[in-house]
């Protein structure tokens, strides 16, 4: 999320997606500056539960408004709040407690590797985004994207799903269902 808003979407499905959140400290429309820090706190709390997942960072850019350039390809440093949660509690602290960081999101995400087939999945089934497929896509003849999450496929169930969340783990050569509705039983 870069000067955007999460629109109330949950974070459950982001277990294996490294995510950098950025916002200007003066980006007050729709309370974006505060909402960004709130969303990061949710990610950090989830990381405490699942230490190998929910990798994230939050850059609140000192004195910056909405829609500023924060992606210098050269990696020039920008002043960001050292502790976003402390800043959120006292946003008018003078002088602000800042640190200089390379805020180029490509540089940040390049430090992380996303596993396309993880051994542990947590899926909030009701949370999905429109994922159009281009003509000729390899998966164009597969089931609807709303029924797929990594290697899980719920397309065989036509009458709806009775659980909001599925959690599975692969242990050795077995898939262990940790949490689910009646369909996977």
């Amino acid at each position: 999320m870069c000067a955007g808003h999460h629109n109330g979407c949950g974070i459950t499905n982001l277990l294996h997606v490294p995510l950098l959140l950025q916002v200007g400290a003066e980006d007050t429309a729709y309370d974006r500056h505060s909402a960004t820090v709130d969303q990061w706190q949710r990610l950090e709390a989830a990381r405490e539960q699942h230490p190998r997942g929910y990798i994230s960072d939050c850059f609140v850019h000192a004195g910056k408004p909405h829609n500023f350039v924060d992606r210098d390809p050269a990696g020039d440093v920008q002043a960001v709040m050292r502790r976003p949660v402390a800043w959120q509690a006292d946003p008018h602290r003078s002088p602000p407690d800042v640190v200089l960081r390379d805020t180029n999101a490509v540089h940040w995400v390049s430090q992380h590797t996303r596993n396309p087939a993880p051994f542990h999945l947590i899926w909030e089934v009701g949370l999905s985004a429109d994922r159009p497929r281009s003509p000729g896509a390899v998966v164009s003849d597969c089931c609807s994207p709303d029924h797929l999450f990594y290697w899980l496929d719920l397309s065989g169930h036509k009458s709806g799903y009775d659980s909001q969340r599925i959690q599975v783990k692969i242990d050795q050569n077995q898939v262990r269902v940790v949490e689910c509705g009646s369909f996977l039983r």
Side-chain angles (χ1 to χ4, degrees):
M1 182 163 71
C2 184
H5 196 284
H6 56 81
N7 293 323
C9 287
I11 61 156
T12 305
N13 297 349
L14 301 175
L15 177 64
H16 300 291
V17 181
L19 190 64
L20 174 60
L21 288 75
Q22 300 197 61
V23 68
E26 306 303 322
D27 189 357
T28 58
Y30 310 102
D31 207 23
R32 275 189 290 256
H33 62 330
S34 188
T36 300
V37 175
D38 290 343
Q39 192 74 339
W40 181 61
Q41 285 182 279
R42 288 182 197 96
L43 288 161
E44 290 295 293
R47 185 166 175 80
E48 287 180 19
Q49 297 281 321
H50 304 281
R52 297 180 66 149
Y54 297 107
I55 295 168
S56 65
D57 208 342
C58 180
F59 296 155
V60 178
H61 293 260
K64 298 294 184 176
H66 180 71
N67 203 24
F68 62 93
V69 177
D70 60 352
R71 58 188 178 280
D72 182 1
D76 284 348
V77 295
Q78 305 242 355
V80 297
M81 301 304 168
R82 182 183 312 272
R83 292 182 296 281
V85 176
W87 165 82
Q88 185 182 35
D90 185 13
H92 302 294
R93 178 181 173 200
S94 184
D97 185 16
V98 297
V99 62
L100 297 177
R101 299 279 304 264
D102 172 2
T103 61
N104 182 303
V106 173
H107 296 172
W108 184 89
V109 81
S110 295
Q111 300 171 44
H112 307 283
T113 302
R114 181 177 167 266
N115 180 355
F119 292 112
H120 179 205
L121 295 178
I122 304 173
W123 182 12
E124 187 176 328
V125 179
L127 182 60
S128 65
D130 184 29
R131 295 180 281 182
R133 295 179 174 150
S134 57
V138 174
V139 294
S140 62
D141 295 329
C142 291
C143 69
S144 164
D146 292 341
H147 299 290
L148 292 173
F149 187 70
Y150 290 92
W151 44 265
L152 286 176
D153 181 350
L154 298 179
S155 62
H157 193 53
K158 304 297 181 202
S159 62
Y161 190 67
D162 65 347
S163 178
Q164 294 298 310
R165 206 170 130 122
I166 298 171
Q167 185 174 175
V168 294
K169 292 183 177 183
I170 296 178
D171 294 322
Q172 304 293 327
N173 198 26
Q174 296 179 336
V175 175
R176 184 168 54 95
V177 178
V178 178
E179 180 181 359
C180 74
S182 61
F183 178 62
L184 290 178
R185 292 183 185 160

